[in-house]
Amino acid sequence: MIEAKQTGAQVPVAASPERPAVVARAFDTLPDRPSSLALLRAIADETCTPGPVAPRQPLALYGAGNLGRLARDHLRTVGEDFGLVVDRNAEALAAGGEWTGTRLVHPDAVYAETKARAMLAVSIVTSPYVPLQAALAAAGWRDIVPFYDIAESFRDRHPLSNGWFAEPFADDDAAAIGAVLSAWDDDLSRAHHLQFIAWRRLRQEWSFCGAPVTIDDRFFIPQILAVMRPNERLLDAGAHHGSVTARFIAETDGQFASILAVEPDEQNRTVLEQTLGGRAPDQRSRITVSDALLDSERRTVRFHHGLGYASQISPTGTDERATRTLDALGAAPSFVKLHLEGGELAALKGGIATLRKYRPIIVATVYHDADGIQATPAWLMDNLDGYRFLFRLHSWCGTGAVVYAIPEERQ
């Protein structure tokens, strides 16, 4: 049994005494199969059930990077005002022009009265939350909350789904999750999976010695790079603006056979086409762009467009779109990447014939809904023979979780 030590005592949140601060737990070793099941049982036995946090005024954002911009756009879309944005690079960011019309300030420039009165929504997931929460509390901020917890309050209007909370686990749930924990190929996967579950179920920030959260290698961890070959055929589903396509081209040194970039959002696809237009002609000729909206079957759905990387199938959408299956694309991929804002499991189900025939490497995000806890990895494990499976976290606050499926013949 792995012994845990508390590394982050609760930070007082005077403005909201009913909402305790997030607590961290650190573990000295990686969990093996028996230890991982014991830790899962401990999570399942917890009675704490956190939930969405309704914003209150005055509201401020902490962090003006990629997530900060998403948070800004989200709050504007749902009609929620915020008074200022706090960032250590405030001066440089203000000069860049992306924050025109917004009060952007350095942390040292915030008045003590503002820190005491305002709710501070943390829009950073590239570093651990608890140490940042503690530092902000020590600096005088009294009401600190992850931005995604606030976003959950607006799911009836905006489909951004990175802040969901897992319901308590019944015995059957725990057994199914335990089966997945036991089937991972390494203990690092078990550590990251437990870390993911602890945040989603309890809003606790777990970490394990020997299991760093790596930010810069999402979809291209060492185990993937070690088995990639010349002439790979990429299916990039949820291509957005083309960053993964560009990384794939770089990792193959341009020696790929083909790329099918699938992006259903028109605004995203316009940027994607512009990005690809800058490629050398011999590379661009091997890349095809599709507007397919992937699903488990062909049907008509509502699609919420214009949300950047958060665009997705959702009842909040105003567009009616016909979906397609991965099988219907007629592709022959050797590498499949799925980042579909919660649509990954449906896309996999709609591609079972393709996956079994061509046996590609599969990398799929699993942090947009509760399917990521066990349903998506369990489906892969149950339906793809002769694969090994890994789980990795590439950011904090329960985000950046990716399942990796590697054919055993790729050794």
Side-chain angles (χ1 to χ4, degrees):
M1 177 69 181
I2 299 174
E3 295 295 323
K5 56 183 179 182
Q6 297 287 346
T7 62
Q10 289 192 357
V11 179
V13 186
S16 300
E18 75 283 358
R19 187 176 70 254
V22 175
V23 174
R25 294 184 69 190
F27 299 86
D28 294 329
T29 58
L30 293 176
D32 57 15
R33 286 182 175 86
S35 295
S36 68
L37 297 179
L39 290 170
L40 174 63
R41 187 73 258 169
I43 293 173
D45 288 343
E46 281 267 9
T47 58
C48 168
T49 303
V53 177
R56 64 170 184 82
Q57 296 295 331
L59 177 65
L61 291 177
Y62 187 86
N66 289 335
L67 178 52
R69 291 189 293 273
L70 176 70
R72 172 198 64 192
D73 296 343
H74 175 279
L75 292 171
R76 288 174 177 172
T77 298
V78 300
E80 190 69 32
D81 192 22
F82 57 96
L84 77 157
V85 180
V86 183
D87 194 288
R88 293 194 172 278
N89 296 314
E91 185 175 351
L93 288 165
E98 288 193 272
W99 290 93
T100 300
T102 302
R103 186 181 171 211
L104 187 62
V105 300
H106 188 277
D108 295 342
V110 182
Y111 292 117
E113 180 183 0
T114 299
K115 295 177 183 179
R117 292 179 56 241
M119 171 181 276
L120 185 65
V122 176
S123 50
I124 295 173
V125 293
T126 53
S127 61
Y129 177 78
V130 169
L132 178 56
Q133 169 190 260
L136 291 168
W141 292 96
R142 300 188 67 191
D143 192 5
I144 308 159
V145 61
F147 162 72
Y148 284 137
D149 288 12
I150 291 176
E152 282 298 289
S153 298
F154 299 100
R155 289 288 292 277
D156 60 330
R157 283 170 274 173
H158 195 296
L160 182 66
S161 56
N162 289 356
W164 54 273
F165 295 81
E167 296 294 327
F169 300 146
D171 287 343
D172 288 349
D173 299 324
I177 299 167
V180 172
L181 275 171
S182 296
W184 294 123
D185 195 59
D186 60 13
D187 291 342
L188 174 53
S189 295
R190 280 177 271 278
H192 276 187
H193 193 191
L194 285 165
Q195 184 174 338
F196 177 69
I197 296 168
W199 181 271
R200 292 301 182 178
R201 174 67 194 91
L202 306 174
R203 281 305 190 265
Q204 291 184 7
E205 188 166 75
W206 287 20
S207 60
F208 293 81
C209 183
V213 172
T214 56
I215 306 299
D216 297 328
D217 61 349
R218 186 190 299 196
F219 306 125
F220 297 97
I221 60 174
Q223 291 86 347
I224 294 295
L225 295 179
V227 299
M228 287 179 63
R229 304 166 178 167
N231 297 317
E232 296 281 5
R233 304 177 304 278
L234 171 67
L235 194 164
D236 183 359
H240 190 230
H241 294 168
S243 61
V244 174
T245 289
R247 178 73 179 268
F248 177 83
I249 293 171
E251 295 294 351
T252 60
D253 197 25
Q255 302 304 306
F256 62 94
S258 65
I259 296 174
L260 174 57
V262 179
E263 177 49 59
D265 183 274
E266 184 177 1
Q267 294 179 18
N268 290 342
R269 201 166 56 254
T270 297
V271 178
L272 174 64
E273 292 276 15
Q274 293 171 348
T275 301
L276 296 176
R279 289 279 162 189
D282 71 304
Q283 291 185 357
R284 184 64 185 88
S285 65
R286 288 175 274 155
I287 305 173
T288 302
V289 177
S290 168
D291 66 352
L293 184 59
L294 295 180
D295 199 3
S296 58
E297 60 184 354
R298 185 173 178 82
R299 59 183 178 132
T300 300
V301 299
R302 288 189 176 275
F303 182 71
H304 200 134
H305 70 280
L307 300 178
Y309 60 73
S311 296
Q312 60 189 273
I313 295 172
S314 171
T316 62
T318 57
D319 286 356
E320 286 198 344
R321 295 276 303 271
T323 63
R324 297 179 66 185
T325 65
L326 194 155
D327 284 340
L329 295 179
S334 66
F335 192 122
V336 172
K337 167 258 179 179
L338 301 173
H339 189 168
L340 302 175
E341 301 301 307
E344 293 83 4
L345 180 54
L348 288 166
K349 290 179 177 179
I352 184 61
T354 298
L355 301 180
R356 285 177 171 167
K357 180 176 181 179
Y358 296 104
R359 296 185 56 78
I361 295 168
I362 303 168
V363 300
T365 56
V366 291
Y367 59 95
H368 301 293
D369 60 28
D371 284 342
I373 289 181
Q374 70 88 17
T376 301
W379 187 91
L380 287 164
M381 292 169 178
D382 291 343
N383 286 278
L384 297 180
D385 294 330
Y387 271 73
R388 56 192 180 101
F389 301 95
L390 303 169
F391 187 104
R392 295 291 187 269
L393 287 176
H394 298 287
S395 52
W396 297 82
C397 297
T399 63
V402 176
V403 169
Y404 297 86
I406 305 172
E408 289 178 354
E409 62 266 25
R410 292 236 191 182
Q411 299 293 348

